[in-house]
PDB file of all heavy atoms in Angstrom:
ATOM      1  N   SER A   1       0.834  -1.196   0.006  1.00 95.00           N
ATOM      2  CA  SER A   1      -0.014   0.006   0.001  1.00 95.00           C
ATOM      3  C   SER A   1       0.878   1.253   0.005  1.00 95.00           C
ATOM      4  O   SER A   1       2.094   1.178   0.147  1.00 95.00           O
ATOM      5  CB  SER A   1      -0.893   0.021   1.240  1.00 95.00           C
ATOM      6  OG  SER A   1      -0.149   0.362   2.380  1.00 95.00           O
ATOM      7  N   ALA A   2       0.225   2.375  -0.155  1.00 94.00           N
ATOM      8  CA  ALA A   2       0.956   3.669  -0.104  1.00 94.00           C
ATOM      9  C   ALA A   2       0.952   4.269   1.294  1.00 94.00           C
ATOM     10  O   ALA A   2       1.367   5.405   1.481  1.00 94.00           O
ATOM     11  CB  ALA A   2       0.339   4.622  -1.102  1.00 94.00           C
ATOM     12  N   MET A   3       0.512   3.507   2.282  1.00 96.00           N
ATOM     13  CA  MET A   3       0.422   4.029   3.631  1.00 96.00           C
ATOM     14  C   MET A   3       1.808   4.155   4.288  1.00 96.00           C
ATOM     15  O   MET A   3       2.703   3.360   3.999  1.00 96.00           O
ATOM     16  CB  MET A   3      -0.508   3.153   4.490  1.00 96.00           C
ATOM     17  CG  MET A   3      -1.921   3.103   3.977  1.00 96.00           C
ATOM     18  SD  MET A   3      -3.021   2.146   5.048  1.00 96.00           S
ATOM     19  CE  MET A   3      -3.109   3.260   6.453  1.00 96.00           C
ATOM     20  N   PRO A   4       2.014   5.134   5.194  1.00 95.00           N
ATOM     21  CA  PRO A   4       3.330   5.406   5.777  1.00 95.00           C
ATOM     22  C   PRO A   4       3.698   4.416   6.896  1.00 95.00           C
ATOM     23  O   PRO A   4       3.822   4.780   8.060  1.00 95.00           O
ATOM     24  CB  PRO A   4       3.186   6.826   6.332  1.00 95.00           C
ATOM     25  CG  PRO A   4       1.747   6.928   6.669  1.00 95.00           C
ATOM     26  CD  PRO A   4       1.019   6.142   5.627  1.00 95.00           C
ATOM     27  N   VAL A   5       3.881   3.162   6.527  1.00 95.00           N
ATOM     28  CA  VAL A   5       4.115   2.107   7.494  1.00 95.00           C
ATOM     29  C   VAL A   5       5.393   2.345   8.308  1.00 95.00           C
ATOM     30  O   VAL A   5       5.495   1.988   9.478  1.00 95.00           O
ATOM     31  CB  VAL A   5       4.178   0.735   6.786  1.00 95.00           C
ATOM     32  CG1 VAL A   5       4.468  -0.392   7.764  1.00 95.00           C
ATOM     33  CG2 VAL A   5       2.894   0.487   6.035  1.00 95.00           C
ATOM     34  N   SER A   6       6.366   2.980   7.703  1.00 93.00           N
ATOM     35  CA  SER A   6       7.675   3.163   8.385  1.00 93.00           C
ATOM     36  C   SER A   6       7.596   4.058   9.593  1.00 93.00           C
ATOM     37  O   SER A   6       8.550   4.113  10.399  1.00 93.00           O
ATOM     38  CB  SER A   6       8.695   3.709   7.383  1.00 93.00           C
ATOM     39  OG  SER A   6       8.276   4.970   6.895  1.00 93.00           O
ATOM     40  N   LYS A   7       6.490   4.783   9.779  1.00 94.00           N
ATOM     41  CA  LYS A   7       6.327   5.640  10.964  1.00 94.00           C
ATOM     42  C   LYS A   7       6.131   4.848  12.233  1.00 94.00           C
ATOM     43  O   LYS A   7       6.302   5.346  13.336  1.00 94.00           O
ATOM     44  CB  LYS A   7       5.098   6.538  10.783  1.00 94.00           C
ATOM     45  CG  LYS A   7       5.286   7.700   9.826  1.00 94.00           C
ATOM     46  CD  LYS A   7       3.971   8.434   9.598  1.00 94.00           C
ATOM     47  CE  LYS A   7       3.341   8.965  10.871  1.00 94.00           C
ATOM     48  NZ  LYS A   7       2.123   9.747  10.574  1.00 94.00           N
ATOM     49  N   TYR A   8       5.791   3.558  12.110  1.00 95.00           N
ATOM     50  CA  TYR A   8       5.336   2.773  13.268  1.00 95.00           C
ATOM     51  C   TYR A   8       6.312   1.627  13.551  1.00 95.00           C
ATOM     52  O   TYR A   8       6.958   1.100  12.647  1.00 95.00           O
ATOM     53  CB  TYR A   8       3.936   2.220  13.023  1.00 95.00           C
ATOM     54  CG  TYR A   8       2.941   3.338  12.762  1.00 95.00           C
ATOM     55  CD1 TYR A   8       2.654   3.743  11.459  1.00 95.00           C
ATOM     56  CD2 TYR A   8       2.326   4.001  13.807  1.00 95.00           C
ATOM     57  CE1 TYR A   8       1.774   4.787  11.204  1.00 95.00           C
ATOM     58  CE2 TYR A   8       1.440   5.053  13.555  1.00 95.00           C
ATOM     59  CZ  TYR A   8       1.185   5.430  12.273  1.00 95.00           C
ATOM     60  OH  TYR A   8       0.300   6.468  12.031  1.00 95.00           O
ATOM     61  N   ARG A   9       6.389   1.260  14.838  1.00 93.00           N
ATOM     62  CA  ARG A   9       7.225   0.145  15.255  1.00 93.00           C
ATOM     63  C   ARG A   9       6.399  -0.893  15.968  1.00 93.00           C
ATOM     64  O   ARG A   9       5.434  -0.561  16.655  1.00 93.00           O
ATOM     65  CB  ARG A   9       8.307   0.665  16.228  1.00 93.00           C
ATOM     66  CG  ARG A   9       9.393   1.495  15.588  1.00 93.00           C
ATOM     67  CD  ARG A   9      10.439   1.882  16.641  1.00 93.00           C
ATOM     68  NE  ARG A   9       9.841   2.744  17.686  1.00 93.00           N
ATOM     69  CZ  ARG A   9      10.440   3.001  18.850  1.00 93.00           C
ATOM     70  NH1 ARG A   9      11.571   2.420  19.169  1.00 93.00           N
ATOM     71  NH2 ARG A   9       9.867   3.819  19.728  1.00 93.00           N
ATOM     72  N   PRO A  10       6.755  -2.156  15.835  1.00 94.00           N
ATOM     73  CA  PRO A  10       6.063  -3.205  16.578  1.00 94.00           C
ATOM     74  C   PRO A  10       6.181  -2.931  18.098  1.00 94.00           C
ATOM     75  O   PRO A  10       7.237  -2.560  18.586  1.00 94.00           O
ATOM     76  CB  PRO A  10       6.794  -4.478  16.205  1.00 94.00           C
ATOM     77  CG  PRO A  10       7.443  -4.178  14.885  1.00 94.00           C
ATOM     78  CD  PRO A  10       7.809  -2.738  14.944  1.00 94.00           C
ATOM     79  N   PHE A  11       5.081  -3.145  18.806  1.00 94.00           N
ATOM     80  CA  PHE A  11       5.071  -2.849  20.246  1.00 94.00           C
ATOM     81  C   PHE A  11       6.128  -3.629  21.001  1.00 94.00           C
ATOM     82  O   PHE A  11       6.767  -3.087  21.920  1.00 94.00           O
ATOM     83  CB  PHE A  11       3.683  -3.145  20.811  1.00 94.00           C
ATOM     84  CG  PHE A  11       3.569  -2.912  22.311  1.00 94.00           C
ATOM     85  CD1 PHE A  11       3.356  -1.622  22.778  1.00 94.00           C
ATOM     86  CD2 PHE A  11       3.722  -3.927  23.216  1.00 94.00           C
ATOM     87  CE1 PHE A  11       3.260  -1.358  24.132  1.00 94.00           C
ATOM     88  CE2 PHE A  11       3.657  -3.702  24.568  1.00 94.00           C
ATOM     89  CZ  PHE A  11       3.414  -2.403  25.030  1.00 94.00           C
ATOM     90  N   VAL A  12       6.334  -4.884  20.615  1.00 90.00           N
ATOM     91  CA  VAL A  12       7.293  -5.692  21.369  1.00 90.00           C
ATOM     92  C   VAL A  12       8.725  -5.206  21.202  1.00 90.00           C
ATOM     93  O   VAL A  12       9.610  -5.609  21.944  1.00 90.00           O
ATOM     94  CB  VAL A  12       7.191  -7.183  20.949  1.00 90.00           C
ATOM     95  CG1 VAL A  12       5.887  -7.777  21.417  1.00 90.00           C
ATOM     96  CG2 VAL A  12       7.327  -7.333  19.437  1.00 90.00           C
ATOM     97  N   GLU A  13       8.982  -4.343  20.219  1.00 92.00           N
ATOM     98  CA  GLU A  13      10.280  -3.711  20.113  1.00 92.00           C
ATOM     99  C   GLU A  13      10.389  -2.465  20.978  1.00 92.00           C
ATOM    100  O   GLU A  13      11.490  -2.030  21.337  1.00 92.00           O
ATOM    101  CB  GLU A  13      10.601  -3.365  18.655  1.00 92.00           C
ATOM    102  CG  GLU A  13      10.737  -4.570  17.735  1.00 92.00           C
ATOM    103  CD  GLU A  13      11.024  -4.164  16.300  1.00 92.00           C
ATOM    104  OE1 GLU A  13      11.255  -2.968  16.055  1.00 92.00           O
ATOM    105  OE2 GLU A  13      10.986  -5.068  15.425  1.00 92.00           O
ATOM    106  N   VAL A  14       9.234  -1.880  21.306  1.00 91.00           N
ATOM    107  CA  VAL A  14       9.200  -0.667  22.109  1.00 91.00           C
ATOM    108  C   VAL A  14       9.260  -1.018  23.596  1.00 91.00           C
ATOM    109  O   VAL A  14      10.025  -0.410  24.350  1.00 91.00           O
ATOM    110  CB  VAL A  14       7.925   0.145  21.806  1.00 91.00           C
ATOM    111  CG1 VAL A  14       7.855   1.387  22.682  1.00 91.00           C
ATOM    112  CG2 VAL A  14       7.855   0.511  20.338  1.00 91.00           C
ATOM    113  N   ASN A  15       8.471  -2.000  24.022  1.00 94.00           N
ATOM    114  CA  ASN A  15       8.398  -2.364  25.431  1.00 94.00           C
ATOM    115  C   ASN A  15       8.268  -3.874  25.543  1.00 94.00           C
ATOM    116  O   ASN A  15       7.196  -4.419  25.790  1.00 94.00           O
ATOM    117  CB  ASN A  15       7.216  -1.670  26.105  1.00 94.00           C
ATOM    118  CG  ASN A  15       7.258  -1.753  27.606  1.00 94.00           C
ATOM    119  OD1 ASN A  15       8.319  -1.917  28.198  1.00 94.00           O
ATOM    120  ND2 ASN A  15       6.083  -1.665  28.249  1.00 94.00           N
ATOM    121  N   PRO A  16       9.381  -4.585  25.341  1.00 93.00           N
ATOM    122  CA  PRO A  16       9.307  -6.057  25.298  1.00 93.00           C
ATOM    123  C   PRO A  16       9.023  -6.669  26.688  1.00 93.00           C
ATOM    124  O   PRO A  16       9.339  -6.087  27.704  1.00 93.00           O
ATOM    125  CB  PRO A  16      10.707  -6.441  24.809  1.00 93.00           C
ATOM    126  CG  PRO A  16      11.576  -5.294  25.209  1.00 93.00           C
ATOM    127  CD  PRO A  16      10.725  -4.081  25.137  1.00 93.00           C
ATOM    128  N   VAL A  17       8.431  -7.885  26.650  1.00 95.00           N
ATOM    129  CA  VAL A  17       8.268  -8.646  27.867  1.00 95.00           C
ATOM    130  C   VAL A  17       8.801 -10.047  27.600  1.00 95.00           C
ATOM    131  O   VAL A  17       8.504 -10.664  26.586  1.00 95.00           O
ATOM    132  CB  VAL A  17       6.767  -8.707  28.298  1.00 95.00           C
ATOM    133  CG1 VAL A  17       5.880  -9.152  27.141  1.00 95.00           C
ATOM    134  CG2 VAL A  17       6.577  -9.631  29.486  1.00 95.00           C
ATOM    135  N   ASP A  18       9.640 -10.518  28.493  1.00 93.00           N
ATOM    136  CA  ASP A  18      10.300 -11.812  28.337  1.00 93.00           C
ATOM    137  C   ASP A  18       9.682 -12.800  29.313  1.00 93.00           C
ATOM    138  O   ASP A  18       9.912 -12.750  30.515  1.00 93.00           O
ATOM    139  CB  ASP A  18      11.796 -11.669  28.610  1.00 93.00           C
ATOM    140  CG  ASP A  18      12.543 -12.990  28.369  1.00 93.00           C
ATOM    141  OD1 ASP A  18      12.034 -13.818  27.589  1.00 93.00           O
ATOM    142  OD2 ASP A  18      13.646 -13.176  28.958  1.00 93.00           O
ATOM    143  N   LEU A  19       8.868 -13.710  28.796  1.00 96.00           N
ATOM    144  CA  LEU A  19       8.180 -14.682  29.652  1.00 96.00           C
ATOM    145  C   LEU A  19       8.059 -16.017  28.910  1.00 96.00           C
ATOM    146  O   LEU A  19       6.975 -16.463  28.550  1.00 96.00           O
ATOM    147  CB  LEU A  19       6.790 -14.147  30.049  1.00 96.00           C
ATOM    148  CG  LEU A  19       6.102 -14.822  31.219  1.00 96.00           C
ATOM    149  CD1 LEU A  19       6.793 -14.509  32.521  1.00 96.00           C
ATOM    150  CD2 LEU A  19       4.651 -14.384  31.265  1.00 96.00           C
ATOM    151  N   PRO A  20       9.182 -16.681  28.655  1.00 96.00           N
ATOM    152  CA  PRO A  20       9.128 -17.911  27.860  1.00 96.00           C
ATOM    153  C   PRO A  20       8.395 -19.057  28.517  1.00 96.00           C
ATOM    154  O   PRO A  20       7.896 -19.945  27.861  1.00 96.00           O
ATOM    155  CB  PRO A  20      10.611 -18.269  27.680  1.00 96.00           C
ATOM    156  CG  PRO A  20      11.328 -17.582  28.836  1.00 96.00           C
ATOM    157  CD  PRO A  20      10.542 -16.320  29.080  1.00 96.00           C
ATOM    158  N   ASP A  21       8.263 -19.021  29.865  1.00 97.00           N
ATOM    159  CA  ASP A  21       7.557 -20.096  30.558  1.00 97.00           C
ATOM    160  C   ASP A  21       6.175 -19.660  30.989  1.00 97.00           C
ATOM    161  O   ASP A  21       5.630 -20.107  32.015  1.00 97.00           O
ATOM    162  CB  ASP A  21       8.366 -20.576  31.794  1.00 97.00           C
ATOM    163  CG  ASP A  21       8.576 -19.427  32.781  1.00 97.00           C
ATOM    164  OD1 ASP A  21       8.501 -18.253  32.375  1.00 97.00           O
ATOM    165  OD2 ASP A  21       8.835 -19.729  33.965  1.00 97.00           O
ATOM    166  N   ARG A  22       5.527 -18.810  30.210  1.00 98.00           N
ATOM    167  CA  ARG A  22       4.180 -18.302  30.535  1.00 98.00           C
ATOM    168  C   ARG A  22       3.243 -19.464  30.800  1.00 98.00           C
ATOM    169  O   ARG A  22       3.284 -20.508  30.134  1.00 98.00           O
ATOM    170  CB  ARG A  22       3.652 -17.428  29.374  1.00 98.00           C
ATOM    171  CG  ARG A  22       3.590 -18.141  28.034  1.00 98.00           C
ATOM    172  CD  ARG A  22       3.139 -17.240  26.913  1.00 98.00           C
ATOM    173  NE  ARG A  22       4.015 -16.143  26.683  1.00 98.00           N
ATOM    174  CZ  ARG A  22       5.139 -16.192  25.923  1.00 98.00           C
ATOM    175  NH1 ARG A  22       5.496 -17.321  25.368  1.00 98.00           N
ATOM    176  NH2 ARG A  22       5.890 -15.127  25.750  1.00 98.00           N
ATOM    177  N   GLN A  23       2.369 -19.268  31.788  1.00 98.00           N
ATOM    178  CA  GLN A  23       1.428 -20.315  32.214  1.00 98.00           C
ATOM    179  C   GLN A  23      -0.006 -20.055  31.762  1.00 98.00           C
ATOM    180  O   GLN A  23      -0.825 -20.977  31.718  1.00 98.00           O
ATOM    181  CB  GLN A  23       1.464 -20.455  33.733  1.00 98.00           C
ATOM    182  CG  GLN A  23       2.832 -20.801  34.309  1.00 98.00           C
ATOM    183  CD  GLN A  23       3.311 -22.137  33.805  1.00 98.00           C
ATOM    184  OE1 GLN A  23       2.621 -23.133  33.920  1.00 98.00           O
ATOM    185  NE2 GLN A  23       4.501 -22.161  33.233  1.00 98.00           N
ATOM    186  N   TRP A  24      -0.347 -18.809  31.444  1.00 98.00           N
ATOM    187  CA  TRP A  24      -1.746 -18.469  31.182  1.00 98.00           C
ATOM    188  C   TRP A  24      -2.369 -19.235  30.008  1.00 98.00           C
ATOM    189  O   TRP A  24      -3.585 -19.508  30.037  1.00 98.00           O
ATOM    190  CB  TRP A  24      -1.913 -16.954  31.010  1.00 98.00           C
ATOM    191  CG  TRP A  24      -1.194 -16.338  29.858  1.00 98.00           C
ATOM    192  CD1 TRP A  24      -0.021 -15.648  29.880  1.00 98.00           C
ATOM    193  CD2 TRP A  24      -1.623 -16.280  28.488  1.00 98.00           C
ATOM    194  NE1 TRP A  24       0.332 -15.197  28.622  1.00 98.00           N
ATOM    195  CE2 TRP A  24      -0.629 -15.595  27.749  1.00 98.00           C
ATOM    196  CE3 TRP A  24      -2.724 -16.801  27.800  1.00 98.00           C
ATOM    197  CZ2 TRP A  24      -0.724 -15.366  26.384  1.00 98.00           C
ATOM    198  CZ3 TRP A  24      -2.825 -16.584  26.426  1.00 98.00           C
ATOM    199  CH2 TRP A  24      -1.833 -15.860  25.720  1.00 98.00           C
ATOM    200  N   PRO A  25      -1.604 -19.629  28.938  1.00 98.00           N
ATOM    201  CA  PRO A  25      -2.291 -20.298  27.823  1.00 98.00           C
ATOM    202  C   PRO A  25      -2.953 -21.633  28.199  1.00 98.00           C
ATOM    203  O   PRO A  25      -3.884 -22.076  27.521  1.00 98.00           O
ATOM    204  CB  PRO A  25      -1.176 -20.505  26.789  1.00 98.00           C
ATOM    205  CG  PRO A  25      -0.167 -19.451  27.094  1.00 98.00           C
ATOM    206  CD  PRO A  25      -0.203 -19.355  28.589  1.00 98.00           C
ATOM    207  N   THR A  26      -2.480 -22.285  29.262  1.00 98.00           N
ATOM    208  CA  THR A  26      -3.045 -23.595  29.617  1.00 98.00           C
ATOM    209  C   THR A  26      -4.046 -23.504  30.771  1.00 98.00           C
ATOM    210  O   THR A  26      -4.593 -24.499  31.210  1.00 98.00           O
ATOM    211  CB  THR A  26      -1.910 -24.565  30.028  1.00 98.00           C
ATOM    212  OG1 THR A  26      -1.192 -24.000  31.139  1.00 98.00           O
ATOM    213  CG2 THR A  26      -0.970 -24.801  28.881  1.00 98.00           C
ATOM    214  N   ARG A  27      -4.288 -22.272  31.269  1.00 98.00           N
ATOM    215  CA  ARG A  27      -5.241 -22.113  32.355  1.00 98.00           C
ATOM    216  C   ARG A  27      -6.684 -21.996  31.818  1.00 98.00           C
ATOM    217  O   ARG A  27      -6.890 -21.744  30.639  1.00 98.00           O
ATOM    218  CB  ARG A  27      -4.901 -20.882  33.195  1.00 98.00           C
ATOM    219  CG  ARG A  27      -3.600 -21.029  33.969  1.00 98.00           C
ATOM    220  CD  ARG A  27      -3.252 -19.779  34.719  1.00 98.00           C
ATOM    221  NE  ARG A  27      -1.966 -19.885  35.399  1.00 98.00           N
ATOM    222  CZ  ARG A  27      -1.195 -18.873  35.749  1.00 98.00           C
ATOM    223  NH1 ARG A  27      -1.610 -17.641  35.483  1.00 98.00           N
ATOM    224  NH2 ARG A  27      -0.059 -19.055  36.370  1.00 98.00           N
ATOM    225  N   ARG A  28      -7.609 -22.111  32.721  1.00 97.00           N
ATOM    226  CA  ARG A  28      -9.043 -22.085  32.360  1.00 97.00           C
ATOM    227  C   ARG A  28      -9.791 -21.218  33.353  1.00 97.00           C
ATOM    228  O   ARG A  28      -9.572 -21.321  34.560  1.00 97.00           O
ATOM    229  CB  ARG A  28      -9.604 -23.495  32.340  1.00 97.00           C
ATOM    230  CG  ARG A  28     -11.069 -23.628  32.087  1.00 97.00           C
ATOM    231  CD  ARG A  28     -11.497 -25.078  32.173  1.00 97.00           C
ATOM    232  NE  ARG A  28     -12.963 -25.208  32.146  1.00 97.00           N
ATOM    233  CZ  ARG A  28     -13.595 -26.342  32.381  1.00 97.00           C
ATOM    234  NH1 ARG A  28     -12.903 -27.442  32.611  1.00 97.00           N
ATOM    235  NH2 ARG A  28     -14.903 -26.376  32.368  1.00 97.00           N
ATOM    236  N   THR A  29     -10.665 -20.367  32.848  1.00 97.00           N
ATOM    237  CA  THR A  29     -11.476 -19.539  33.720  1.00 97.00           C
ATOM    238  C   THR A  29     -12.626 -20.371  34.299  1.00 97.00           C
ATOM    239  O   THR A  29     -13.359 -21.046  33.544  1.00 97.00           O
ATOM    240  CB  THR A  29     -12.087 -18.346  32.958  1.00 97.00           C
ATOM    241  OG1 THR A  29     -10.988 -17.537  32.455  1.00 97.00           O
ATOM    242  CG2 THR A  29     -12.972 -17.489  33.842  1.00 97.00           C
ATOM    243  N   THR A  30     -12.789 -20.355  35.604  1.00 97.00           N
ATOM    244  CA  THR A  30     -13.826 -21.151  36.258  1.00 97.00           C
ATOM    245  C   THR A  30     -14.773 -20.308  37.116  1.00 97.00           C
ATOM    246  O   THR A  30     -15.784 -20.835  37.591  1.00 97.00           O
ATOM    247  CB  THR A  30     -13.184 -22.222  37.163  1.00 97.00           C
ATOM    248  OG1 THR A  30     -12.347 -21.582  38.121  1.00 97.00           O
ATOM    249  CG2 THR A  30     -12.370 -23.209  36.315  1.00 97.00           C
ATOM    250  N   ARG A  31     -14.452 -19.045  37.319  1.00 97.00           N
ATOM    251  CA  ARG A  31     -15.360 -18.204  38.121  1.00 97.00           C
ATOM    252  C   ARG A  31     -15.230 -16.736  37.664  1.00 97.00           C
ATOM    253  O   ARG A  31     -14.256 -16.385  36.995  1.00 97.00           O
ATOM    254  CB  ARG A  31     -14.992 -18.284  39.615  1.00 97.00           C
ATOM    255  CG  ARG A  31     -13.577 -17.877  39.957  1.00 97.00           C
ATOM    256  CD  ARG A  31     -13.279 -18.113  41.434  1.00 97.00           C
ATOM    257  NE  ARG A  31     -11.897 -17.796  41.760  1.00 97.00           N
ATOM    258  CZ  ARG A  31     -11.447 -16.583  42.079  1.00 97.00           C
ATOM    259  NH1 ARG A  31     -12.304 -15.582  42.144  1.00 97.00           N
ATOM    260  NH2 ARG A  31     -10.187 -16.377  42.393  1.00 97.00           N
ATOM    261  N   ALA A  32     -16.207 -15.952  38.038  1.00 98.00           N
ATOM    262  CA  ALA A  32     -16.223 -14.558  37.643  1.00 98.00           C
ATOM    263  C   ALA A  32     -15.199 -13.777  38.451  1.00 98.00           C
ATOM    264  O   ALA A  32     -14.923 -14.097  39.620  1.00 98.00           O
ATOM    265  CB  ALA A  32     -17.587 -13.946  37.879  1.00 98.00           C
ATOM    266  N   PRO A  33     -14.603 -12.737  37.857  1.00 98.00           N
ATOM    267  CA  PRO A  33     -13.712 -11.846  38.629  1.00 98.00           C
ATOM    268  C   PRO A  33     -14.524 -10.893  39.463  1.00 98.00           C
ATOM    269  O   PRO A  33     -15.773 -10.843  39.384  1.00 98.00           O
ATOM    270  CB  PRO A  33     -12.962 -11.127  37.521  1.00 98.00           C
ATOM    271  CG  PRO A  33     -13.987 -10.994  36.414  1.00 98.00           C
ATOM    272  CD  PRO A  33     -14.737 -12.292  36.470  1.00 98.00           C
ATOM    273  N   ARG A  34     -13.860 -10.084  40.232  1.00 98.00           N
ATOM    274  CA  ARG A  34     -14.477  -8.881  40.797  1.00 98.00           C
ATOM    275  C   ARG A  34     -14.669  -7.890  39.660  1.00 98.00           C
ATOM    276  O   ARG A  34     -13.831  -7.762  38.762  1.00 98.00           O
ATOM    277  CB  ARG A  34     -13.602  -8.285  41.895  1.00 98.00           C
ATOM    278  CG  ARG A  34     -13.618  -9.036  43.172  1.00 98.00           C
ATOM    279  CD  ARG A  34     -12.533  -8.614  44.142  1.00 98.00           C
ATOM    280  NE  ARG A  34     -12.459  -7.195  44.409  1.00 98.00           N
ATOM    281  CZ  ARG A  34     -11.625  -6.638  45.264  1.00 98.00           C
ATOM    282  NH1 ARG A  34     -10.764  -7.411  45.951  1.00 98.00           N
ATOM    283  NH2 ARG A  34     -11.592  -5.327  45.434  1.00 98.00           N
ATOM    284  N   TRP A  35     -15.819  -7.217  39.681  1.00 98.00           N
ATOM    285  CA  TRP A  35     -16.116  -6.235  38.642  1.00 98.00           C
ATOM    286  C   TRP A  35     -16.117  -4.828  39.262  1.00 98.00           C
ATOM    287  O   TRP A  35     -16.608  -4.633  40.373  1.00 98.00           O
ATOM    288  CB  TRP A  35     -17.473  -6.464  38.042  1.00 98.00           C
ATOM    289  CG  TRP A  35     -17.789  -7.806  37.482  1.00 98.00           C
ATOM    290  CD1 TRP A  35     -18.621  -8.740  38.020  1.00 98.00           C
ATOM    291  CD2 TRP A  35     -17.281  -8.368  36.261  1.00 98.00           C
ATOM    292  NE1 TRP A  35     -18.673  -9.842  37.202  1.00 98.00           N
ATOM    293  CE2 TRP A  35     -17.875  -9.666  36.124  1.00 98.00           C
ATOM    294  CE3 TRP A  35     -16.398  -7.920  35.276  1.00 98.00           C
ATOM    295  CZ2 TRP A  35     -17.595 -10.489  35.034  1.00 98.00           C
ATOM    296  CZ3 TRP A  35     -16.146  -8.746  34.208  1.00 98.00           C
ATOM    297  CH2 TRP A  35     -16.745 -10.007  34.078  1.00 98.00           C
TER     298      TRP A  35
END
């Protein structure tokens, strides 16, 4: 496209988080949170 893509950077390059052993993908929601 002709859009100015070069103005923007991927977020993970701006403020990266290193969590290779993340646990949340295998968890399951079983109750409501506080709202």
Side-chain angles (χ1 to χ4, degrees):
S1 74
M3 299 184 69
V5 179
S6 60
K7 285 173 58 176
Y8 302 93
R9 289 182 295 165
F11 179 82
V12 291
E13 294 180 8
V14 179
N15 192 25
V17 52
D18 184 24
L19 197 69
D21 60 338
R22 59 184 61 84
Q23 301 299 306
W24 62 261
T26 59
R27 292 177 184 157
R28 176 181 169 189
T29 298
T30 57
R31 60 184 176 87
R34 285 168 51 177
W35 305 108

